[in-house]
PDB file of all heavy atoms in Angstrom:
ATOM      1  N   VAL A  96      34.543  -0.877 -65.491  1.00  0.00           N
ATOM      2  CA  VAL A  96      35.395   0.226 -65.068  1.00  0.00           C
ATOM      3  C   VAL A  96      35.488   1.263 -66.185  1.00  0.00           C
ATOM      4  O   VAL A  96      35.287   2.463 -65.968  1.00  0.00           O
ATOM      5  CB  VAL A  96      36.797  -0.308 -64.710  1.00  0.00           C
ATOM      6  CG1 VAL A  96      37.775   0.834 -64.521  1.00  0.00           C
ATOM      7  CG2 VAL A  96      36.714  -1.165 -63.439  1.00  0.00           C
ATOM      8  N   PHE A  97      35.765   0.768 -67.390  1.00  0.00           N
ATOM      9  CA  PHE A  97      35.872   1.681 -68.535  1.00  0.00           C
ATOM     10  C   PHE A  97      34.591   2.498 -68.686  1.00  0.00           C
ATOM     11  O   PHE A  97      34.623   3.718 -68.808  1.00  0.00           O
ATOM     12  CB  PHE A  97      36.131   0.878 -69.818  1.00  0.00           C
ATOM     13  CG  PHE A  97      36.280   1.732 -71.047  1.00  0.00           C
ATOM     14  CD1 PHE A  97      37.525   2.135 -71.493  1.00  0.00           C
ATOM     15  CD2 PHE A  97      35.151   2.132 -71.761  1.00  0.00           C
ATOM     16  CE1 PHE A  97      37.657   2.930 -72.625  1.00  0.00           C
ATOM     17  CE2 PHE A  97      35.271   2.931 -72.889  1.00  0.00           C
ATOM     18  CZ  PHE A  97      36.526   3.321 -73.319  1.00  0.00           C
ATOM     19  N   ILE A 118      40.870   7.591 -71.053  1.00  0.00           N
ATOM     20  CA  ILE A 118      40.602   6.584 -70.018  1.00  0.00           C
ATOM     21  C   ILE A 118      41.860   5.818 -69.603  1.00  0.00           C
ATOM     22  O   ILE A 118      42.128   5.678 -68.407  1.00  0.00           O
ATOM     23  CB  ILE A 118      39.450   5.673 -70.444  1.00  0.00           C
ATOM     24  CG1 ILE A 118      38.162   6.494 -70.377  1.00  0.00           C
ATOM     25  CG2 ILE A 118      39.348   4.445 -69.548  1.00  0.00           C
ATOM     26  CD1 ILE A 118      36.906   5.734 -70.617  1.00  0.00           C
ATOM     27  N   PRO A 119      42.679   5.345 -70.551  1.00  0.00           N
ATOM     28  CA  PRO A 119      43.912   4.674 -70.109  1.00  0.00           C
ATOM     29  C   PRO A 119      44.783   5.580 -69.239  1.00  0.00           C
ATOM     30  O   PRO A 119      45.344   5.119 -68.240  1.00  0.00           O
ATOM     31  CB  PRO A 119      44.603   4.333 -71.427  1.00  0.00           C
ATOM     32  CG  PRO A 119      43.507   4.275 -72.423  1.00  0.00           C
ATOM     33  CD  PRO A 119      42.518   5.319 -72.001  1.00  0.00           C
ATOM     34  N   LEU A 122      43.158   5.792 -65.740  1.00  0.00           N
ATOM     35  CA  LEU A 122      43.297   4.534 -64.999  1.00  0.00           C
ATOM     36  C   LEU A 122      44.750   4.288 -64.621  1.00  0.00           C
ATOM     37  O   LEU A 122      45.048   3.669 -63.599  1.00  0.00           O
ATOM     38  CB  LEU A 122      42.724   3.379 -65.806  1.00  0.00           C
ATOM     39  CG  LEU A 122      41.194   3.422 -65.984  1.00  0.00           C
ATOM     40  CD1 LEU A 122      40.705   2.234 -66.779  1.00  0.00           C
ATOM     41  CD2 LEU A 122      40.497   3.475 -64.628  1.00  0.00           C
ATOM     42  N   GLU A 123      45.661   4.789 -65.415  1.00  0.00           N
ATOM     43  CA  GLU A 123      47.082   4.705 -65.107  1.00  0.00           C
ATOM     44  C   GLU A 123      47.386   5.488 -63.823  1.00  0.00           C
ATOM     45  O   GLU A 123      48.060   4.984 -62.924  1.00  0.00           O
ATOM     46  CB  GLU A 123      47.861   5.298 -66.300  1.00  0.00           C
ATOM     47  CG  GLU A 123      49.361   5.394 -66.130  1.00  0.00           C
ATOM     48  CD  GLU A 123      50.028   4.038 -66.313  1.00  0.00           C
ATOM     49  OE1 GLU A 123      49.655   3.356 -67.288  1.00  0.00           O
ATOM     50  OE2 GLU A 123      50.896   3.683 -65.484  1.00  0.00           O
ATOM     51  N   VAL A 125      45.443   6.152 -61.332  1.00  0.00           N
ATOM     52  CA  VAL A 125      44.936   5.502 -60.121  1.00  0.00           C
ATOM     53  C   VAL A 125      45.408   4.051 -60.016  1.00  0.00           C
ATOM     54  O   VAL A 125      45.022   3.328 -59.104  1.00  0.00           O
ATOM     55  CB  VAL A 125      43.388   5.549 -60.050  1.00  0.00           C
ATOM     56  CG1 VAL A 125      42.899   6.980 -60.028  1.00  0.00           C
ATOM     57  CG2 VAL A 125      42.754   4.781 -61.213  1.00  0.00           C
ATOM     58  N   GLY A 126      46.212   3.599 -60.991  1.00  0.00           N
ATOM     59  CA  GLY A 126      46.790   2.265 -60.918  1.00  0.00           C
ATOM     60  C   GLY A 126      45.801   1.140 -61.154  1.00  0.00           C
ATOM     61  O   GLY A 126      45.844   0.099 -60.509  1.00  0.00           O
ATOM     62  N   LEU A 127      44.883   1.326 -62.107  1.00  0.00           N
ATOM     63  CA  LEU A 127      43.880   0.295 -62.353  1.00  0.00           C
ATOM     64  C   LEU A 127      43.862  -0.174 -63.811  1.00  0.00           C
ATOM     65  O   LEU A 127      42.867  -0.732 -64.264  1.00  0.00           O
ATOM     66  CB  LEU A 127      42.485   0.823 -62.009  1.00  0.00           C
ATOM     67  CG  LEU A 127      41.928   0.509 -60.631  1.00  0.00           C
ATOM     68  CD1 LEU A 127      40.474   0.943 -60.563  1.00  0.00           C
ATOM     69  CD2 LEU A 127      42.037  -0.970 -60.302  1.00  0.00           C
ATOM     70  N   SER A 128      44.959   0.044 -64.511  1.00  0.00           N
ATOM     71  CA  SER A 128      44.987  -0.259 -65.947  1.00  0.00           C
ATOM     72  C   SER A 128      44.575  -1.695 -66.252  1.00  0.00           C
ATOM     73  O   SER A 128      43.939  -1.971 -67.260  1.00  0.00           O
ATOM     74  CB  SER A 128      46.376   0.014 -66.506  1.00  0.00           C
ATOM     75  OG  SER A 128      46.716   1.342 -66.260  1.00  0.00           O
ATOM     76  N   GLU A 129      44.914  -2.594 -65.319  1.00  0.00           N
ATOM     77  CA  GLU A 129      44.648  -4.020 -65.556  1.00  0.00           C
ATOM     78  C   GLU A 129      43.154  -4.350 -65.544  1.00  0.00           C
ATOM     79  O   GLU A 129      42.722  -5.326 -66.125  1.00  0.00           O
ATOM     80  CB  GLU A 129      45.320  -4.867 -64.470  1.00  0.00           C
ATOM     81  CG  GLU A 129      46.736  -4.483 -64.170  1.00  0.00           C
ATOM     82  CD  GLU A 129      47.692  -4.991 -65.240  1.00  0.00           C
ATOM     83  OE1 GLU A 129      47.998  -6.187 -65.227  1.00  0.00           O
ATOM     84  OE2 GLU A 129      48.100  -4.174 -66.109  1.00  0.00           O
ATOM     85  N   LYS A 130      42.381  -3.536 -64.808  1.00  0.00           N
ATOM     86  CA  LYS A 130      40.989  -3.923 -64.514  1.00  0.00           C
ATOM     87  C   LYS A 130      39.987  -3.196 -65.389  1.00  0.00           C
ATOM     88  O   LYS A 130      38.815  -3.119 -65.047  1.00  0.00           O
ATOM     89  CB  LYS A 130      40.687  -3.618 -63.043  1.00  0.00           C
ATOM     90  CG  LYS A 130      41.696  -4.174 -62.082  1.00  0.00           C
ATOM     91  CD  LYS A 130      41.377  -5.613 -61.741  1.00  0.00           C
ATOM     92  CE  LYS A 130      42.404  -6.146 -60.744  1.00  0.00           C
ATOM     93  NZ  LYS A 130      41.928  -7.309 -60.035  1.00  0.00           N
ATOM     94  N   ILE A 131      40.454  -2.714 -66.499  1.00  0.00           N
ATOM     95  CA  ILE A 131      39.630  -1.814 -67.308  1.00  0.00           C
ATOM     96  C   ILE A 131      38.279  -2.417 -67.704  1.00  0.00           C
ATOM     97  O   ILE A 131      37.281  -1.719 -67.802  1.00  0.00           O
ATOM     98  CB  ILE A 131      40.436  -1.359 -68.550  1.00  0.00           C
ATOM     99  CG1 ILE A 131      39.720  -0.230 -69.282  1.00  0.00           C
ATOM    100  CG2 ILE A 131      40.736  -2.502 -69.487  1.00  0.00           C
ATOM    101  CD1 ILE A 131      40.610   0.542 -70.204  1.00  0.00           C
ATOM    102  N   ASN A 132      38.256  -3.751 -67.899  1.00  0.00           N
ATOM    103  CA  ASN A 132      37.003  -4.368 -68.352  1.00  0.00           C
ATOM    104  C   ASN A 132      36.253  -5.124 -67.265  1.00  0.00           C
ATOM    105  O   ASN A 132      35.313  -5.855 -67.545  1.00  0.00           O
ATOM    106  CB  ASN A 132      37.274  -5.297 -69.537  1.00  0.00           C
ATOM    107  CG  ASN A 132      37.614  -4.498 -70.783  1.00  0.00           C
ATOM    108  OD1 ASN A 132      36.993  -3.460 -71.043  1.00  0.00           O
ATOM    109  ND2 ASN A 132      38.624  -4.930 -71.515  1.00  0.00           N
ATOM    110  N   ASN A 133      36.671  -4.936 -66.008  1.00  0.00           N
ATOM    111  CA  ASN A 133      35.964  -5.605 -64.918  1.00  0.00           C
ATOM    112  C   ASN A 133      34.753  -4.808 -64.466  1.00  0.00           C
ATOM    113  O   ASN A 133      34.690  -3.598 -64.670  1.00  0.00           O
ATOM    114  CB  ASN A 133      36.911  -5.788 -63.720  1.00  0.00           C
ATOM    115  CG  ASN A 133      37.951  -6.860 -63.984  1.00  0.00           C
ATOM    116  OD1 ASN A 133      38.856  -6.666 -64.797  1.00  0.00           O
ATOM    117  ND2 ASN A 133      37.803  -7.994 -63.324  1.00  0.00           N
ATOM    118  N   TYR A 134      33.826  -5.536 -63.831  1.00  0.00           N
ATOM    119  CA  TYR A 134      32.668  -4.866 -63.244  1.00  0.00           C
ATOM    120  C   TYR A 134      32.974  -4.539 -61.785  1.00  0.00           C
ATOM    121  O   TYR A 134      33.796  -5.233 -61.149  1.00  0.00           O
ATOM    122  CB  TYR A 134      31.432  -5.761 -63.344  1.00  0.00           C
ATOM    123  CG  TYR A 134      30.893  -5.824 -64.741  1.00  0.00           C
ATOM    124  CD1 TYR A 134      31.358  -6.782 -65.644  1.00  0.00           C
ATOM    125  CD2 TYR A 134      29.945  -4.898 -65.187  1.00  0.00           C
ATOM    126  CE1 TYR A 134      30.884  -6.816 -66.952  1.00  0.00           C
ATOM    127  CE2 TYR A 134      29.468  -4.932 -66.474  1.00  0.00           C
ATOM    128  CZ  TYR A 134      29.932  -5.888 -67.358  1.00  0.00           C
ATOM    129  OH  TYR A 134      29.472  -5.911 -68.641  1.00  0.00           O
ATOM    130  N   GLU A 137      33.549  -7.111 -59.141  1.00  0.00           N
ATOM    131  CA  GLU A 137      34.731  -7.971 -59.261  1.00  0.00           C
ATOM    132  C   GLU A 137      35.977  -7.303 -58.677  1.00  0.00           C
ATOM    133  O   GLU A 137      37.074  -7.822 -58.802  1.00  0.00           O
ATOM    134  CB  GLU A 137      34.998  -8.300 -60.743  1.00  0.00           C
ATOM    135  CG  GLU A 137      33.837  -9.048 -61.396  1.00  0.00           C
ATOM    136  CD  GLU A 137      33.928  -9.047 -62.921  1.00  0.00           C
ATOM    137  OE1 GLU A 137      34.712  -8.272 -63.481  1.00  0.00           O
ATOM    138  OE2 GLU A 137      33.196  -9.828 -63.537  1.00  0.00           O
ATOM    139  N   LEU A 138      35.760  -6.113 -58.055  1.00  0.00           N
ATOM    140  CA  LEU A 138      36.906  -5.361 -57.538  1.00  0.00           C
ATOM    141  C   LEU A 138      36.869  -5.313 -56.017  1.00  0.00           C
ATOM    142  O   LEU A 138      35.799  -5.423 -55.409  1.00  0.00           O
ATOM    143  CB  LEU A 138      36.861  -3.924 -58.068  1.00  0.00           C
ATOM    144  CG  LEU A 138      36.835  -3.719 -59.582  1.00  0.00           C
ATOM    145  CD1 LEU A 138      36.727  -2.236 -59.892  1.00  0.00           C
ATOM    146  CD2 LEU A 138      38.075  -4.319 -60.228  1.00  0.00           C
ATOM    147  N   GLU A 142      39.963  -0.865 -54.788  1.00  0.00           N
ATOM    148  CA  GLU A 142      39.963  -0.689 -56.252  1.00  0.00           C
ATOM    149  C   GLU A 142      38.731   0.094 -56.715  1.00  0.00           C
ATOM    150  O   GLU A 142      38.817   0.926 -57.606  1.00  0.00           O
ATOM    151  CB  GLU A 142      40.018  -2.061 -56.934  1.00  0.00           C
ATOM    152  CG  GLU A 142      41.386  -2.713 -56.823  1.00  0.00           C
ATOM    153  CD  GLU A 142      41.373  -4.172 -57.269  1.00  0.00           C
ATOM    154  OE1 GLU A 142      40.322  -4.838 -57.136  1.00  0.00           O
ATOM    155  OE2 GLU A 142      42.418  -4.636 -57.751  1.00  0.00           O
ATOM    156  N   ARG A 145      39.262   3.621 -56.250  1.00  0.00           N
ATOM    157  CA  ARG A 145      40.143   4.197 -57.277  1.00  0.00           C
ATOM    158  C   ARG A 145      39.391   4.486 -58.560  1.00  0.00           C
ATOM    159  O   ARG A 145      39.672   5.471 -59.236  1.00  0.00           O
ATOM    160  CB  ARG A 145      41.265   3.223 -57.608  1.00  0.00           C
ATOM    161  CG  ARG A 145      42.230   3.070 -56.463  1.00  0.00           C
ATOM    162  CD  ARG A 145      43.253   2.139 -56.928  1.00  0.00           C
ATOM    163  NE  ARG A 145      43.852   1.426 -55.839  1.00  0.00           N
ATOM    164  CZ  ARG A 145      45.086   0.979 -55.918  1.00  0.00           C
ATOM    165  NH1 ARG A 145      45.778   1.187 -57.018  1.00  0.00           N
ATOM    166  NH2 ARG A 145      45.593   0.338 -54.902  1.00  0.00           N
TER     167      ARG A 145
END
Side-chain angles (χ1 to χ4, degrees):
Chain A
V96 169
F97 181 94
I118 289 186
L122 292 181
E123 176 77 45
V125 299
L127 264 188
S128 302
E129 314 283 283
K130 309 275 181 160
I131 190 162
N132 289 319
N133 288 70
Y134 286 89
E137 299 165 346
L138 303 177
E142 287 169 331
R145 291 181 207 208

